[in-house]
Amino acid sequence: MQQFLKFLGQKRSLVFVFSFLFLLIAIVFFYFNLQVKEQKLDSVLDQCTIALEKKLRDEKMSALEIAITLSKNKALVDALENEDEELGYTVLSDIMKTIQTNTSRYIRAQIITSEYTVFARSWDDIYAGMPLEDYRQDLYYFQTNATPRTSIEIGRRLGIKATVPVYQDGKLLGYFEVIDFFESVTSYFRAMGIDLYVLLDYKYYDRAILMQGNLILQNHIVANINYNFSNIQTLQSINFKRLQANRILHEDNKYIFYETMYDGESEAIGGYVFVLPQKYLEYFRDPEDDISFLINVTRSSLYDVLKESEWERSKLDKYGAETLLYVKDIVSREDKELFYEEAYKRLDAHSKDELIQLMLEYKMVKKIDGKIR
């Protein structure tokens, strides 16, 4: 009897030990799975941000090229100099219609006088002479600068504005401008299964008078009119301050990412919100995927985005060690010292296990030969 009780006691001890080990393994597995998932979400946010910056940069450059071309059109410059608004509208609208016919791109262009009034617009002829000074404070930039400018600015609507000042015999005649309202950027992300919402802070409501009928979302005005309405209920219900602070939320089987939006003076004026259905996160889990997954962002494009601000630390701060590691091989010689200083600082903040994980992920970009010591 005593031997039987002793046997039962040993068996219970074994059951307890194995149960404890099983529980411990489950906890460790859950913890590392959570860590991997958080790293993956951080990587997705980095990718979305880089893709957005590249797309905005491309849109800005495209708009600036067209604005510069328009500013060299003699017929338009002569019409502006002679204050012939009717001719200005006719020539400008004909040029934009020709571009649309041959490229299927709908582009808005306008000419503004040196007194900040509308001279001509490509899309209508009813607002000639309308004053813009109360809405276009960004034009004050040209009081001290004679070079073209392209940036996201608040006017009567929020948009990307490429503005070129035009001079005649040293006298400012006015400004040639091309405007984009985020339609192509929104469509670009939607084609990849990501819904983008461009949000302007509500404090600019009185200035953005043509957006006063737009949807109000979490004390912000939705600026892009071709957004997907299906996520609005989710976005209305989330803790928006928490989203702004953490930059990542999970709600209604969707991942929601946040990136701050800045105007040409580097002032925060709102934000970009990305909504990714949870099921699409699987696209990011294949180790053979390029860092840019479905987004057509090459390694050189990533480097161009990082380098564009001349390695300002405020810009580098939002990129993780994974992204910096990814572009390290293509950094130009003159930038290497500053780049490595920032990269070492990022890597130093990681634990040994995290560094090993980074190196394992890096193999999808470059095969590493040699021995681990």
Side-chain angles (χ1 to χ4, degrees), residues 33-60:
N33 187 56
L34 184 61
Q35 290 294 104
V36 169
K37 189 173 184 179
E38 288 180 354
Q39 290 178 2
K40 180 63 67 176
L41 290 174
D42 288 339
S43 175
V44 173
L45 175 56
D46 274 352
Q47 292 172 32
C48 288
T49 300
I50 291 171
L52 175 65
E53 290 192 4
K54 182 185 182 300
K55 183 61 177 175
L56 289 175
R57 179 175 175 270
D58 290 346
E59 293 298 314
K60 289 177 181 179

Side-chain angles (χ1 to χ4, degrees), residues 40 281-291 293 364:
K40 180 63 67 176
L281 194 65
E282 297 297 327
Y283 289 129
F284 297 83
R285 293 182 178 173
D286 185 351
E288 299 303 320
D289 282 348
D290 185 79
I291 192 173
F293 70 106
M364 69 183 178

Side-chain angles (χ1 to χ4, degrees), residues 278-370:
Q278 180 175 312
K279 60 182 180 180
Y280 290 166
L281 194 65
E282 297 297 327
Y283 289 129
F284 297 83
R285 293 182 178 173
D286 185 351
E288 299 303 320
D289 282 348
D290 185 79
I291 192 173
S292 55
F293 70 106
L294 302 175
I295 302 177
N296 297 318
V297 182
T298 65
R299 192 185 332 183
S300 295
S301 298
L302 298 182
Y303 176 59
D304 289 340
V305 172
L306 290 173
K307 181 174 169 55
E308 187 177 0
S309 59
E310 297 182 356
W311 302 109
E312 292 180 27
R313 296 190 183 280
S314 60
K315 297 293 184 183
L316 284 173
D317 282 346
K318 64 183 176 183
Y319 296 110
E322 301 92 333
T323 303
L324 297 180
L325 184 63
Y326 181 72
V327 300
K328 75 177 185 64
D329 295 326
I330 58 169
V331 177
S332 59
R333 183 177 301 175
E334 62 271 20
D335 293 325
K336 280 189 181 294
E337 183 177 352
L338 181 56
F339 177 87
Y340 281 120
E341 179 184 345
E342 192 64 30
Y344 289 148
K345 183 189 298 183
R346 291 283 194 284
L347 294 169
D348 191 53
H350 289 265
S351 67
K352 180 180 178 180
D353 290 339
E354 289 172 334
L355 290 175
I356 292 173
Q357 182 63 32
L358 283 176
M359 294 306 297
L360 290 175
E361 291 178 356
Y362 182 59
K363 71 179 181 180
M364 69 183 178
V365 178
K366 178 180 179 181
K367 182 179 178 180
I368 302 173
D369 295 319

Side-chain angles (χ1 to χ4, degrees), residues 109-199:
Q110 67 179 3
I111 303 173
I112 303 172
T113 69
S114 58
E115 289 80 27
Y116 308 127
T117 63
V118 174
F119 175 75
R121 284 178 167 171
S122 63
W123 64 93
D124 65 53
D125 60 351
I126 60 176
Y127 287 104
M130 182 183 68
L132 294 176
E133 187 170 4
D134 291 343
Y135 313 104
R136 294 296 306 279
Q137 297 173 12
D138 59 289
L139 292 175
Y140 295 155
Y141 165 86
F142 296 102
Q143 293 179 353
T144 54
N145 297 272
T147 55
R149 169 185 169 109
T150 177
S151 56
I152 295 173
E153 300 294 346
I154 307 167
R156 297 180 353 135
R157 283 183 65 181
L158 177 73
I160 299 170
K161 296 179 172 66
T163 310
V164 179
V166 176
Y167 295 86
Q168 191 78 293
D169 298 326
K171 178 185 176 183
L172 177 65
L173 294 181
Y175 312 92
F176 283 66
E177 190 168 75
V178 171
I179 308 171
D180 181 272
F181 294 126
F182 305 104
E183 292 100 328
S184 61
V185 179
T186 306
S187 299
Y188 174 77
F189 279 96
R190 182 176 297 163
M192 297 176 293
I194 300 173
D195 291 324
L196 174 68
Y197 300 82
V198 182
L199 306 181

Side-chain angles (χ1 to χ4, degrees), residues 6-40:
K6 184 178 180 180
F7 172 76
L8 286 179
Q10 291 175 342
K11 190 174 182 180
R12 287 174 183 173
S13 297
L14 288 174
V15 170
F16 175 78
V17 170
F18 280 111
S19 297
F20 176 78
L21 289 175
F22 177 79
L23 180 61
L24 182 61
I25 292 172
I27 292 173
V28 170
F29 176 80
F30 177 79
Y31 172 77
F32 279 105
N33 187 56
L34 184 61
Q35 290 294 104
V36 169
K37 189 173 184 179
E38 288 180 354
Q39 290 178 2
K40 180 63 67 176

Side-chain angles (χ1 to χ4, degrees), residues 78-108:
D78 288 346
L80 177 60
E81 185 178 21
N82 298 323
E83 300 181 357
D84 191 337
E85 296 172 348
E86 185 176 349
L87 177 61
Y89 167 74
T90 300
V91 174
L92 185 61
S93 60
D94 283 348
I95 292 174
M96 294 299 103
K97 287 177 183 177
T98 300
I99 292 176
Q100 183 176 9
T101 299
N102 290 279
T103 67
S104 299
R105 295 177 60 196
Y106 176 65
I107 300 171
R108 302 173 182 84

